Each structure stands twice: as structure tokens, then as C-alpha cells.
Amino acid sequence: MTPQDYVQQKAAASGSSFYYAFLFLPAERRAAITAFYAFCREVDDVVDEVSDPAVAQTKLAWWRREVAQSFAGSPTHPVMRALMPLSAAYAIEARHLSAVIDGCQMDLEQNRYLDFANLQRYCHLVAGVVGE
């Protein structure tokens, strides 16, 4: 399976309406957003599907290293291998991916926000960054 096939399957399997909206984009833009979305799904699945918080922490730490390694020129995960060739054209930077990981990290540590500022920060990390 190619990295492109992997991200396509990951995005489609999510059941999100976002995937269907991507189908209307030009091919290269569609490939970039599909890979980015697959990254988001991978990282979010760590929080949603891993019941042991220590294991989830370890997996998020692995993704942090994978992002750094990928932007240094050595991606290993199929999502990163699909995303990296398109990242410069769409100004996708390591900081964007790290922000998504930060938001998912917050999911592990907290599930309620007592003030709007922290809720707003969380929403930006897990959703706003994707819009950027």
C-alpha cells in the first residue's frame, strides 16, 4: 500500500463529512488536505482509542519525534511520507502538526475547562490549526 493509499483509507474510514468535501478540491490540494487530515485522525485516535494514559503519552511522544524527523527529511510513517512532499506548497509547518499533538495532549490531561481562555486555546489547537 502506498502512503497515498494509506491516507486515503484513513480519511475515508473516519466517516467524517470532511472527507467528502475534499473530493471537490483540485488533485494536489486534495492530496495535501487528505494527508493532513489523516495525521489529525492518527493523533486523535491515540487519545480516543488507547485506554492506558501512559501508553497514549508514549504514542504522542512518538508522533512528536516523527514530526521532527519528517521535517528533517526522514519521514517513516505513511501519513508523513504522503504529507511531506506537499507541505511546502501549502505552508504546512512542523509547528502546525505539533499544535495538533498539543491539543490531543490536553485531551489526556483535562476534559473540562473552567475558563474561556483555556477552552479557546484547546479549540484552536485541535480544530483552528487545521483551518489555518
Side-chain angles (χ1 to χ4, degrees):
M1 174 184 304
T2 68
Q4 293 73 22
D5 291 338
Y6 182 91
V7 297
Q8 189 74 26
Q9 287 183 12
K10 185 72 176 179
S14 74
S16 169
S17 58
F18 288 124
Y19 170 75
Y20 297 102
F22 300 163
L23 298 177
F24 294 97
L25 295 171
E28 186 175 279
R29 184 173 291 250
R30 181 174 58 244
I33 194 66
T34 300
F36 190 92
Y37 183 72
F39 169 82
C40 293
R41 294 292 348 129
E42 289 284 349
V43 174
D44 191 54
D45 287 350
V46 168
V47 175
D48 292 344
E49 296 175 1
V50 177
S51 59
D52 182 336
V55 172
Q57 294 279 11
T58 299
K59 287 185 172 210
L60 290 180
W62 182 90
W63 274 107
R64 288 183 193 283
R65 289 189 304 276
E66 176 67 9
V67 167
Q69 182 176 309
S70 296
F71 278 88
S74 299
T76 60
H77 193 280
V79 166
M80 297 308 291
R81 290 178 42 220
L83 182 60
M84 293 315 300
L86 303 165
S87 62
Y90 294 97
I92 299 169
E93 301 173 12
R95 68 182 176 88
H96 297 118
L97 304 183
S98 294
V100 173
I101 297 169
D102 290 345
C104 290
Q105 180 78 42
M106 290 174 75
D107 274 338
L108 288 177
E109 298 166 355
Q110 188 171 358
N111 61 10
R112 291 197 174 151
Y113 294 91
L114 301 177
D115 60 61
F116 184 72
N118 283 320
L119 175 61
Q120 186 175 31
R121 179 175 184 272
Y122 168 74
C123 290
H124 174 72
L125 294 173
V126 297
V129 170
V130 177
E132 290 175 4

